[in-house]
Amino acid sequence: MAREECKALLDALNKTTACYHHLVLTVGGSADTQDLREELQKTRQKARELAVATGARLTVALRDRGLATEERAEFERLWVAFSGCLDLLEADMQRSLTLGAAFPLHAPRRPLVRTGVAGGSSAVAARALSARSLRHEAEGDFDVADLPELEREVLQVGKMIDDMEMKVNVPRWSVQARQAAGAELLSGASAGASSAGGISVQERPGPCDPSKALAATVFSAVLLVAVALALCVAKLS
Amino acid sequence: MATVAGCTPHGRSSRTQRPHLSKMERVIVSMQDPDQGVKMRSQRLLITAIPHAVAGRDVVEWLVQKFCISEEEALHLGTLLAQHGYIYPLHESRDLTLRPDETPYRFQTPYFWTSTLWPAAELDYAIYLAKKNIQKQGALVDYEKEHYTQLHKKINHAWDLVVMQAREQLRAAKQRRKGDRLVISCQEQTYWLVNRPPPGVPNILEQGPERGSYNSSRVQMSSDFYKCEIERFRKALGRNRVKSSVCLEAYLKFSSQHGPHDPILSGCLPSNPWITDDVTYWAMNAPKVAAPTKLRVERWSFSFRELLDDPVGRGHFMDFLQKEFSAENLSFWEACEELRFGGQAQVPALVDAVYQQFLAPGAARWVNIDSRTMEWTLEGMRQPHRYVLDAAQLHIYMLMKKDSYPRFLKSDIYKGLLEEAVIPLETKRRAFPFLRKPLHSSPSPVLQSTPEEPAVTSTPAGGNGKQ
C-alpha cells in the first residue's frame, strides 16, 4: 500500500540522514580523510535519491483529492517528518560544504583540528548505504573535485524543498505527532539498554566487546576452579 | 544542524560570524600546528587510549609564548576559549573553565564550534535530549527535563522526526569504535552546554544592549553606490552651518540662566517631594496658583515664550495689556492657537469667527496687521484650514514681543509681582532622627487593605513641610 511504501522510504531517508549527520561531525577533525569525503559523497547521493523518491510518492498521495480524512492526516504526518528530514539534510550538506572548503585535505593550508577521533567511519557509511562494506576508490584530490559538485547538490536540494512547498500545502502546526513525550524510551529500549552500558558521558571506562568476552571466560574459569576445589575438599573431608 | 523551519529557509548571508569567534577559531587552528602547536598527550582509560589530550598548563604556556602576554592574560584567554566551547575538560565535563594544571582538555570538532552563522536550532536540541533520554533511561537533569517538556509542546508537529532521528543517530554512532563514540558524545555535550547553558551559567552568546546591530551589511562597491555617496556629500556641503562658538555661547547663556531654576542642579525649595514625601513643592508650583514663587516670576523675564507658556504669567500679561488697551493682540493670538490645536470639524467655523471678531474692517477688536499679511490671509481664507492664520499670528506675536513685552517687564505690575512673590522656606531637618518621618514612597496596598493595622505613611509626622 502507498502508506507503507512511503513509511519505508521515509525510514530509509531518516537512516541515511542520521548517518550523514554522523559523518559530517568529523569533517575538519583528526579523522578527516579523503575516504571520509568519499563516504560523504556516496551517502548524500543515496539520500538524494531517497528524497526524490519519497517526495514524489508523497506529493502524488497528497494531491489526490479523493483521500479520506484520516488517511490524509496520516500522509500529512509523514509529509511533515519528511520535510523536516530534508531540512536537516540540507543544513548538514551546507555545513559539510563550508567545513570542507575551510579544511582542505590536498594542500593542507590549515592543519586539521586534533579532536581525538581516530577511527574509520566506513561502518557508518556502510550502514547508510545498506551495504555490507564499502570500497574506497577515491583519488588523492577527491575533496577538491567534490566541492563544486556538493555546491550544486545543495542548491538542488534547496530547489526540491521549494518545489515541494509549492506543490503541496500542508500547514505544519495542524499536524499532531503520534509519539508522546518520552516515546523513545518505550520501544527504543532495545537500542537503549545495549548502549546505556557502553556510552556514558563521564569518562567511566566500560569494557568493550572483546574485553567483555575475555572477562566472562576468565570469570567462568575461576568459577570452575573454585567448584573443583570445593569438590576436592568435600571428597577429602 | 537544521535552520529554523520556515524562517530563512534557503536564503543565507543575513547572518555573519561574530569577529571574536573568528579570532578564537584562528587561535585554535594555530594551536594545531604539528611543529609549533600545543603539546599533545594521550588519555589512558582502562582499556582504550584516546589521543589528543592537552593539559591546561600546556595551553597557558603556549598562549604566553605565542602572543607574548603575561600568564594572567593567557589564563583569561584560555578561559574564554573554554567558555565558548572550543576546548572542553575531560574530567569534570560540565565545568567549562581552564585550570592551569594537569587537568586534561580536548579540542572541539569544527562542526560543533560556537558560531553565529549556524545558530543551534530547537529541533537539534530536541534530538539531542531524546538521545540522552534513551541513553540514560529517562534520568535527565532537571533543567533538561524542563526543556524537554517545553520542546515537546513547542515543536510537537516534528516530534515523530525527533524520535526517529534520535534512534537512528544512536544506531549510527554504535558503528564506531568505543573511543570515538566517547569523544563524539563528549563533544556534543559540550556543544549543548555552551548553546543551552544550565541555569546559573551565563549565556555566552548573549549580546549586551550596546552591541546591538553589529551586522555590517556588505555594500556592493559599484558605480551606483559611489554616485549616491557623491550626491550625499554634495548636499552635506551645502547645508547651513552655525559656528560652534555661536552655538556654545547660546548654550552657555541658557545654562547659566536656567541653572538656578533646575531642581536637580540647585535643589528645590521647600523640599524634594521624591525624597521627603512632602508635596508642597508641587502644590506651590501648580499651573494655576494664586501666589507664584519668585523663581517662577523671574523666569518670565527670560523670554516671551516663557511668559506666554505659563498660565499665571499669561494672565498677568493680559491684565497689563488691558491697561494699555492692546489686549486684543493677545486674544487674537490665543484664538489662533485654539484654531491650530483644535478639532478639525471646528476649523471653518472658528476661522470665520476669528475673522469677524478681529480681522474684518470695522471689527469689534480689530488687530493691526500689515497689508501684505492681510492679503495672504484673506486669500487663504477662501479654503480655510487650521494653519491659514499662521502669518497673521506670527505678525502679532512679534509685535507683542518687540513692543508690549519689554514694557511689561519694566512695568509696575511686574515689579509688584516680583516683590510679592514667595520664596518657600526650606524644611528644617528634625534634630532627633527618631522623630523624622519614615521614608516610604507611597502607602503599600497591603497595609491599606488591612485597616486594623495602623497605616504607616498616611500623615506626615509633625508639620515638616508647612511654613
Side-chain angles (χ1 to χ4, degrees), chain B residues 133-187:
Chain B
N133 214 8
I134 297 178
Q135 282 173 348
K136 299 229 165 152
Q137 299 290 310
L140 287 176
V141 186
D142 287 332
Y143 76 94
E144 285 179 344
K145 260 198 204 125
E146 235 183 87
H147 284 162
Y148 184 83
T149 30
Q150 272 175 8
L151 280 172
H152 181 71
K153 258 188 274 178
K154 233 197 312 188
I155 49 170
N156 189 284
H157 56 269
W159 207 254
D160 288 340
L161 179 64
V162 167
V163 172
M164 286 197 310
Q165 270 289 307
R167 290 197 190 128
E168 278 303 323
Q169 281 187 11
L170 281 177
R171 287 186 202 134
K174 277 210 289 210
Q175 305 295 324
R176 281 207 185 255
R177 283 187 348 182
K178 176 75 176 69
D180 292 349
R181 243 187 298 160
L182 209 50
V183 169
I184 291 180
S185 63
C186 285
Q187 286 171 352

Side-chain angles (χ1 to χ4, degrees), chain A residues 14-15 22 25 77 91-92 94-95 114-116 118-119 127 162 172 177 179 182 184-185 187 203, chain B residues 1 10 12 29 32 43 52 90 106 109 111 118 133 148 152 156-157 160 164-165 167-168 176 180:
Chain A
N14 179 50
K15 183 169 76 159
H22 200 83
L25 285 185
R77 240 178 20 88
D92 276 335
Q94 283 212 326
R95 291 300 288 275
R114 290 176 275 183
T115 48
R127 186 192 162 79
D162 282 335
R172 282 183 174 79
Q179 312 276 11
E184 62 267 7
L185 292 169
S187 60
E203 304 272 320
Chain B
M1 296 274 155
H10 314 298
R12 299 277 161 241
V29 168
Q32 309 302 323
Q43 182 202 11
H52 305 152
L90 296 178
R106 199 170 271 134
T109 181
Y111 187 90
W118 310 96
N133 214 8
Y148 184 83
H152 181 71
N156 189 284
H157 56 269
D160 288 340
M164 286 197 310
Q165 270 289 307
R167 290 197 190 128
E168 278 303 323
R176 281 207 185 255
D180 292 349

